[in-house]
Amino acid sequence: MTLRMLATAGLVSAFTLSALAPTVVAQDDLPKLEDLAKDRAVTFVSAGTLFVPGRNGSGPRLVSGEKHWLVYRRGELLGLVEQPEGGMKPGQPAKLLDYRKEHPDSFAMPGIVDADSRWFRAAKDMSDRSADPTAKATDGLETWQKGWKELLVDAGVTTVFVPTSVMAQTTGEGALIGLTTREPSVLADGALSWRLSSPQTSGTNLTRSNVTKGLAAAFSAARKYDEAKEKHAKSVEEFEKKRKEFLAYYKKNPLKKGEEVKTAAPQPTRARRGRLPRTAEELERLLQRVPPAMRDRVRKQMEAQMKAAADAEKAAKAKAAAAAKPAKPDPKAGTAKKAPPKPTRPKPFKRDEKNEALLRVLAGKSALRIEVHRAGEIKALLDLAEEESIERIVIVGATEAWKVAKDLRVAGAQVVLRPEALPTKGFDTLPEQLAASAAKLTAEGVAVAFGSAGRARGRNLPLVAARAVANGMDETDALQALTQGGIEMSGVAPETSVDTGIVVWSGHPLATTSRPIAVVRGRRAQKLSTSEGEGNK
Amino acid sequence: MRSPIRMTTPGIARRSTMLLSLPLLAFAATVSAQETWTVRAAKAWISPDRAAENVAIEITGGKISTVEDAQAVDDTSAPRLRSFSKGVITAGFIDVHRAPITQDSIGERAESFTPELEASHAYDAWSTRWKRLLRRGVTSAVIAPGSENVAGGQGAFVKPGRPARSSDSASYLKFSLAREAISRNRRPTSMLGALEILRDGYASLEGRPGARLTPAQRSLATTIGGARRVAIAARTRREILASLDLLRTWQLLGCLIHGNDAADCLDALDADKTPIVLTPLGLDAARKERDLPGLLAKRGIPFAFAGESMDEREMPALQTSLALAVRDGLAPEAALAAVTTTPALIAGRSEQVGTLLIGRDADLVVWSGDPWDLRSRVLLVVQDGRIVHDAALTHSMNTKNEVSGR
């Protein structure tokens, strides 16, 4: 399988910008068009229709490509610029890709994201119930799997999110994998996945009423862990300070021959288990439990130990009394500073990945991605999120999410919808139900994304979105769910930009008759044709 | 006693929706099969190879009486008019091989050779579940015996939800060489045994003109010379080739049901152009399954999709099949033929259904876009001139129920 490069084709070779008349930039936060045109990293793309997904508070935009261009720089879709009067002209460093002449009905937008895929993971790893938060999806990627190119060629899917495991209750970070390169490439680490409850987990401790208990306990443990971590950080800081003082002192006052470094008083050790008898009566009582033949020998040993212990105690008391007395000032020492004791380094802190991930969630740096299905459990989860002040919640599966759509909107939760084949009767999510659910959730203002929960099924994502439109979902919302929705719900930090490339379609991406015709990544445009996907089978 | 309508601010909006839909309610309630009325849309697929823009179709007495340019229709002069400015009209879909509502109502388990049974006797026209088919644009169907019997009986051409007389509804005779027909508890125990039963059945008719025939023999006799079509369930290449051989030997007019391995015996199918009834394409269909419609179309072998899902949580199976086939390169016209004209041909009802030609049954569907586009939804379904599903009405009824809290 090789992707033919369009960069050498006549379509784009002649286009670079020369002189651009001053123009109105469509978005306030974009640099000026003149500056963009001078940037070699910038690619301008135009097609019959352009779609820019909403991000960081801005809404999605669907505009005619007649007078607009997409601005794409270093893997980031910056936004839209208006075409200057007289059109874009060649000659400047920025690249110009115009599909309007060759494909008047073409449609350009970022690549589709499969928000819950099973690509590049071994089936055994995915069903590993013992996976823990230290297991990361990137540690076990099978990039040599075949057939993934079909997703890009048939359905314009350029990015997939793969979780670490789907059977374990808590797993490590998933990964966003890009499909536009020759080999699959890791674009970003995603959220840690939790699986609190589903009809498949019957019999575990996290079903029904225990669902919030488990999560609440996890967050409580994470907070304690954070306190311990802070305490340890303070003790390390203190140690460093004392160490500096200690080294400074001995640099100034080097040790004389035979002199020893003063060490800090040893920490009181815990009493030994099974203390020695203190009195003769106690000793006799103890000896009653010893066989008569051994009594004399044990008595002698114990008495010796008791004597040694009593002497040591006496010595320690005398030492403590001596230390308590103020030392006589040494007239020779004058104003010399007292030698600081050698500080003891605190034991290294044991890092816990699960708690670290939960702390990232509490800090709002990462999303809490949880598989939950029942409406009651989703509601309980939202209540808990409110108590714990969790900002970003992503619910995966969410069979009954539409029943609590209002609560999801209030909590600002996001939902990844995917087809489910759950064994419990009535809980399997079939595609039409999924599409209807997406329409209901977006109508209520809840952000959704689509996942395939499979491999080849990823090519159906535009079809599922099309059914959602048939069920009443707005087309712009459907495109948002297919693109930026998947990135946001993978759990990456909001400020992180993930390069999903720009896919140019022959028509509207949700129309059955449309096909992806090219994918733009960096300054390169790759032509897509069905034969390319077949070669990868 | 019905609870009073709770009016909130959104409720007022809902009430206005209800008020707007009142004319629709009145229209739907008064349209009867005998009246004349017109449906107008931006586009109509008169037949799979003929589309027309801005079309008005006049319906009289349950039949299509006129198909004309919509601009020629005066809004005021049209007796009753339903207009869809962006709608697309197609003939009603035909589900040419579907099970009755209850699975066990056809299919004699004790015997494998029951060609005299009639599926029309197991058809429950009054089941409310047929509405689910209508909502998905299926206005005609052939109720077929299952594939468990070597000769299962006679299929019944019906209009879902409407009573049918067995004399009017006779359709193809169903045979099966598929593995379901083979049992350890009764004959046949192999595919060869199944083939032998069918051959013996036809052989028993030879040289007996005018002789008194058993009901089973009478049923078989109706298929000789192509008077009635034979539908044979055959999945594997072996079963398909055996079926084609049987059809050739006894000069039967046939069609194959399932035909999963048809791609492996295209040459054999090409010789007779035997139609194939394919299982609908699902989202999880394998590449081989997805490519089959395109391969058949390339060879000019007629094929139909059959088996619409009655589970409303499933995507509409026929529409999805069209969409997937078109996405994988099949021409939209060929895809549309697979749910309209080809199934009409297989059911032996080409002169009655499958197109929007004058004189055909007024079975039509108004879509919000092309039917192979999954964004399209069914707006209106007309069966024999009656509106059997109206999306606008359904929406307003749902809204009404929400308002009244029912």
Side-chain angles (χ1 to χ4, degrees):
Chain A
M1 183 284 308
T2 54
L3 289 173
R4 281 172 288 162
M5 308 303 298
L6 196 66
T8 52
L11 179 67
V12 291
S13 60
F15 291 105
T16 41
L17 301 178
S18 66
L20 289 164
T23 182
V24 181
V25 177
Q27 278 166 273
D28 298 337
D29 51 347
L30 275 185
K32 283 185 179 175
L33 184 58
E34 295 90 325
D35 297 335
L36 288 169
K38 285 174 195 164
D39 190 345
R40 270 192 70 79
V42 168
T43 306
F44 292 101
V45 183
S46 193
T49 311
L50 307 171
F51 174 72
V52 177
R55 202 181 146 204
N56 296 337
S58 68
R61 304 172 73 190
L62 187 67
V63 297
S64 160
E66 235 173 81
K67 289 184 177 175
H68 291 91
W69 291 77
L70 288 178
V71 187
Y72 180 58
R73 185 176 64 185
R74 290 193 189 90
E76 189 177 4
L77 179 59
L78 296 182
L80 289 162
V81 287
E82 277 182 22
Q83 180 169 281
E85 275 181 38
M88 297 282 211
K89 288 170 188 170
Q92 292 275 335
K95 186 110 178 179
L96 208 65
L97 297 170
D98 191 354
Y99 290 88
R100 291 173 297 187
K101 279 183 189 168
E102 206 172 318
H103 304 280
D105 297 329
S106 56
F107 193 110
M109 67 170 203
I112 289 175
V113 181
D114 184 346
D116 191 28
S117 174
R118 303 287 176 267
W119 272 107
F120 313 119
R121 303 279 296 136
K124 272 190 177 178
D125 290 349
M126 290 305 280
S127 57
D128 182 8
R129 285 177 184 269
S130 63
D132 63 18
T134 55
K136 289 174 79 174
T138 45
D139 294 338
L141 286 183
E142 294 187 346
T143 51
W144 53 87
Q145 284 182 5
K146 291 198 170 184
W148 53 272
K149 214 73 189 176
E150 209 175 279
L151 259 63
L152 172 62
V153 173
D154 285 353
V157 177
T158 60
T159 313
V160 293
F161 173 80
V162 288
T164 309
S165 162
V166 289
M167 296 304 281
Q169 285 183 348
T170 319
T171 65
E173 288 169 343
L176 272 172
I177 315 288
L179 308 179
T180 53
T181 42
R182 196 172 289 273
E183 296 293 328
S185 54
V186 178
L187 298 176
D189 283 331
L192 172 128
S193 300
W194 274 61
R195 187 162 166 270
L196 280 183
S197 166
S198 86
Q200 279 176 320
T201 58
S202 57
T204 67
N205 59 336
L206 289 172
T207 53
R208 281 297 197 196
S209 58
N210 281 335
V211 63
T212 48
K213 200 175 155 190
L215 192 57
F219 277 110
S220 167
R223 288 217 159 88
K224 276 184 188 166
Y225 168 83
D226 195 33
E227 282 168 17
K229 199 175 156 188
E230 263 178 36
K231 200 175 165 188
H232 179 263
K234 268 185 192 170
S235 63
V236 169
E237 206 177 300
E238 207 174 309
F239 161 76
E240 288 297 341
K241 195 179 159 191
K242 282 184 179 171
R243 190 166 160 271
K244 261 184 195 170
E245 279 175 14
F246 174 78
L247 291 174
Y249 176 84
Y250 283 102
K251 199 174 178 184
K252 207 173 176 182
N253 311 299
L255 283 175
K256 288 166 192 167
K257 205 175 179 182
E259 196 179 359
E260 279 184 3
V261 172
K262 191 181 174 189
T263 53
Q267 293 290 318
T269 50
R270 288 169 78 184
R272 262 195 212 167
R273 203 171 174 190
R275 63 179 178 81
L276 284 170
R278 288 176 191 273
T279 58
E281 290 78 29
E282 267 186 54
L283 179 63
E284 286 308 318
R285 271 204 303 275
L286 183 77
L287 288 171
Q288 292 305 311
R289 286 186 266 164
V290 177
M294 293 171 66
R295 268 182 202 157
D296 288 342
R297 188 157 56 88
V298 173
R299 182 179 285 115
K300 272 184 188 171
Q301 282 176 0
M302 297 292 276
E303 278 173 350
Q305 283 179 20
M306 283 166 70
K307 192 170 179 284
D311 290 347
E313 201 175 338
K314 230 181 235 177
K317 274 183 184 170
K319 201 175 177 183
K325 278 183 188 174
K328 283 182 183 174
D330 184 1
K332 285 179 187 173
T335 56
K337 201 180 168 186
K338 192 182 167 190
K342 186 182 178 183
T344 316
R345 184 185 290 274
K347 282 182 184 171
F349 187 76
K350 202 177 172 188
R351 190 180 159 88
D352 186 296
E353 288 303 324
K354 176 183 162 185
N355 286 325
E356 287 291 336
L358 285 175
L359 288 176
R360 278 200 297 279
V361 168
L362 288 172
K365 287 177 187 166
S366 182
L368 183 64
R369 201 178 147 105
I370 307 186
E371 180 189 333
V372 192
H373 293 281
R374 294 187 183 99
E377 288 164 355
I378 295 172
K379 185 80 176 63
L381 180 67
L382 296 178
D383 291 345
L384 179 77
E386 196 184 348
E387 275 173 31
E388 300 283 348
S389 311
I390 300 166
E391 289 172 26
R392 296 174 65 197
I393 279 209
V394 178
I395 293 170
V396 182
T399 308
E400 292 186 340
W402 59 273
K403 291 184 180 173
V404 285
K406 278 180 189 166
D407 299 291
L408 287 165
R409 176 173 49 80
V410 171
Q414 298 168 312
V415 177
V416 174
L417 293 165
R418 64 182 189 192
E420 298 283 347
L422 303 174
T424 307
K425 199 179 173 185
F427 266 89
D428 45 346
T429 306
L430 301 175
E432 187 72 359
Q433 188 186 2
L434 187 158
S437 191
K440 284 175 192 167
L441 287 167
T442 46
E444 200 58 55
V446 179
V448 301
F450 296 109
S452 67
R455 290 184 185 174
R457 275 191 212 157
R459 65 195 290 280
N460 296 326
L461 293 181
L463 301 180
V464 172
R467 278 317 290 170
V469 170
N471 277 281
M473 190 175 185
D474 184 68
E475 276 193 358
T476 317
D477 289 339
L479 294 174
Q480 173 78 13
L482 284 174
T483 53
Q484 187 63 26
I487 296 293
E488 283 172 7
M489 289 172 218
S490 70
V492 295
E495 63 277 5
T496 310
S497 172
V498 178
D499 184 8
T500 58
I502 306 284
V503 176
V504 184
W505 292 73
S506 60
H508 196 289
L510 303 184
T512 318
T513 45
S514 298
R515 294 195 73 81
I517 50 177
V519 58
V520 180
R521 195 154 185 271
R523 286 170 65 85
R524 297 188 313 174
Q526 298 172 333
K527 196 174 178 180
L528 300 172
S529 66
T530 314
S531 58
E532 314 230 11
E534 282 169 0
N536 187 252
K537 268 190 277 178
Chain B
M1 193 177 161
R2 191 177 294 173
S3 60
I5 293 175
R6 283 179 278 117
M7 293 304 295
T8 57
T9 313
I12 292 165
R14 284 175 188 156
R15 191 168 66 165
S16 60
T17 313
M18 286 166 57
L19 291 171
L20 286 171
S21 66
L22 280 176
L24 292 176
L25 280 162
F27 184 90
T30 55
V31 165
S32 76
Q34 299 310 312
E35 286 183 30
T36 298
W37 64 285
T38 306
V39 57
R40 189 166 67 177
K43 189 179 176 184
W45 287 89
I46 309 297
S47 62
D49 53 1
R50 194 180 139 209
E53 307 283 331
N54 277 326
V55 175
I57 296 174
E58 192 182 74
I59 296 161
T60 308
K63 301 275 179 189
I64 295 171
S65 53
T66 319
V67 180
E68 59 186 336
D69 189 341
Q71 285 166 351
V73 179
D74 182 6
D75 284 10
T76 51
S77 69
R80 288 160 186 274
L81 179 70
R82 282 300 301 274
S83 193
F84 298 89
S85 58
K86 290 178 182 172
V88 176
I89 306 178
T90 65
F93 285 1
I94 303 163
D95 194 348
V96 76
H97 184 260
R98 76 158 307 106
I101 298 287
T102 46
Q103 290 294 325
D104 57 351
S105 53
I106 311 182
E108 174 52 50
R109 299 206 177 146
E111 291 177 47
S112 62
F113 188 72
T114 55
E116 71 281 10
L117 295 184
E118 289 182 27
S120 60
H121 295 155
Y123 168 56
D124 174 13
W126 295 269
S127 169
T128 52
R129 294 185 71 193
W130 293 118
K131 282 185 182 168
R132 297 181 187 180
L133 276 193
L134 294 169
R135 278 201 285 266
R136 294 181 162 196
V138 178
T139 54
S140 315
V142 175
I143 306 296
S147 302
E148 298 82 15
N149 289 17
V150 174
Q154 183 180 278
F157 177 81
V158 299
K159 298 288 179 81
R162 303 205 60 204
R165 282 187 301 176
S166 64
S167 55
D168 297 341
S169 65
S171 187
Y172 55 67
L173 190 62
K174 172 82 184 282
F175 294 163
S176 174
L177 293 182
R179 63 173 179 277
E180 298 97 300
I182 294 157
S183 166
R184 287 187 169 193
N185 303 322
R186 59 156 166 77
R187 281 190 74 210
T189 56
S190 69
M191 191 205 77
L192 292 180
L195 207 53
E196 191 191 358
I197 289 173
L198 291 174
R199 283 187 178 141
D200 286 351
Y202 279 106
S204 70
L205 299 173
E206 278 189 323
R208 299 186 62 189
R212 198 169 175 185
L213 300 177
T214 63
Q217 285 173 323
R218 273 204 299 275
S219 184
L220 287 186
T222 58
T223 61
I224 290 176
R228 181 189 294 171
R229 198 177 283 273
V230 166
I232 309 178
R235 284 198 177 82
T236 62
R237 181 190 160 107
R238 199 170 69 115
E239 292 160 7
I240 292 169
L241 293 177
S243 304
L244 293 174
D245 187 49
L246 183 81
L247 294 174
R248 266 185 227 120
T249 308
W250 300 99
Q251 295 180 339
L252 304 173
L253 185 64
C255 76
L256 299 178
I257 310 285
H258 307 311
N260 301 35
D261 282 354
D264 298 336
C265 33
L266 286 173
D267 290 336
L269 287 164
D270 204 3
D272 300 335
K273 304 280 187 218
T274 306
I276 302 185
V277 178
L278 300 174
T279 312
L281 296 174
L283 291 181
D284 290 336
R287 170 66 84 169
K288 191 181 171 186
E289 235 178 302
R290 282 166 19 213
D291 288 344
L292 184 58
L295 291 173
L296 293 171
K298 220 174 183 179
R299 298 271 192 143
I301 302 165
F303 65 92
F305 291 113
E308 180 57 87
S309 168
M310 281 200 174
D311 187 344
E312 289 185 326
R313 298 174 308 153
E314 288 272 23
M315 282 166 76
L318 297 184
Q319 195 190 354
T320 307
S321 298
L322 300 195
L324 292 174
V326 168
R327 188 175 77 163
D328 285 326
L330 185 71
E333 295 81 3
L336 188 57
V339 287
T340 53
T341 49
T342 309
L345 174 84
I346 293 169
R349 305 283 168 150
S350 291
E351 298 301 311
Q352 188 184 344
V353 290
T355 56
L356 300 177
L357 298 172
I358 295 168
R360 302 285 195 271
D361 287 357
D363 290 354
L364 53 90
V365 185
V366 184
W367 302 82
S368 61
D370 285 318
W372 50 84
D373 190 331
L374 284 176
R375 288 174 296 173
S376 304
R377 59 188 187 282
V378 173
L379 301 177
L380 188 80
V381 182
V382 179
Q383 187 189 51
D384 283 337
R386 287 187 177 89
I387 294 175
V388 287
H389 170 66
D390 189 337
L393 198 61
T394 312
H395 175 74
S396 69
M397 290 297 284
N398 289 344
T399 315
K400 188 181 162 190
N401 289 345
E402 278 175 30
V403 173
S404 61
R406 277 182 289 156

